[in-house]
Amino acid sequence: MPALTENTQLGGQKLKRIVFSEVDVRRRVREMGSEISKSYDARDRLLVLGLLKGSFLFLADLVRAIELPLHVDFLVAASYGADKVSSGELRLLYAPETSLEGRAVIVVEDIVDSGHTLNRVLPLLRERGPESLEVCALLHKRIQPLDWEPRWVGFDAPHEFLVGYGLDYAEDFRHLPYIASL
Ligand code: IMP
Ligand code: MG
């Protein structure tokens, strides 16, 4: 009963429309996992670094679709409060203790909007001496050219505020299994 689940999950709040269904997301994440699997081998000592909180579901599904040995760690950067517009400010609340030295690192981001987050985080990670540093983003709004274009993008996103599958609005909606606009 998806409708009932949705209503229960939304607690009476309204969504505009479902942009990427649970099936769309599942299919695309599996494809991305197999693309990544072909791009590395076991010697790369892959480290998948999730940007919290938004990437938590995407990362969980993505690593299960990567057929290589890998490690997982997280990075916490806060750029938005209870606001739909980027403040342009970014705070690193938690940086990984795992060594990046000589490893193939993939930063997993839920959605690229202005690109401020990646532009600020990636130079900090680069300083830690990874062998390679790439970005895998589930969604990309393609607002402007970035210093660091993601190597893997799940979907080009409409210029709307999206929620679900990790994405929140003021912490609501992260647990929806699909991506919707508000
Ligand atoms: P950027 O720094 O402007 O590229 O924004 C990236 C971060 O802002 C993402 O990691 C999200 O947490 C958040 N964000 C950007 N657009 C959206 C959206 O449409 N819905 C929910 N969060 C978003
Ligand atoms: Mg967020």
Side-chain angles (χ1 to χ4, degrees), residues 12 58 70 93 125 138-139 145:
F58 176 41
L70 58 78
L93 306 180
L125 296 178
L138 178 64
L139 298 157

Side-chain angles (χ1 to χ4, degrees), residues 50-53 74-78 90-96 121:
L51 261 169
L52 290 177
K53 299 176 199 171
F74 296 95
L75 200 66
V76 185
L90 184 121
R91 290 175 303 145
L92 265 194
L93 306 180
Y94 169 79
V121 165

Side-chain angles (χ1 to χ4, degrees), residues 36-95:
I36 290 170
S37 306
K38 288 182 206 138
S39 305
Y40 297 92
D41 64 46
R43 285 167 310 199
D44 291 316
R45 298 165 58 231
L46 197 58
L47 174 65
V48 180
L49 215 46
L51 261 169
L52 290 177
K53 299 176 199 171
S55 72
F56 83 108
L57 286 180
F58 176 41
L59 180 135
D61 289 338
L62 183 70
V63 293
R64 282 181 283 185
I66 299 177
E67 295 177 17
L68 287 170
L70 58 78
H71 290 180
V72 172
D73 208 335
F74 296 95
L75 200 66
V76 185
S79 66
Y80 282 56
D83 202 337
K84 293 184 191 170
V85 184
S86 175
S87 62
E89 307 226 334
L90 184 121
R91 290 175 303 145
L92 265 194
L93 306 180
Y94 169 79

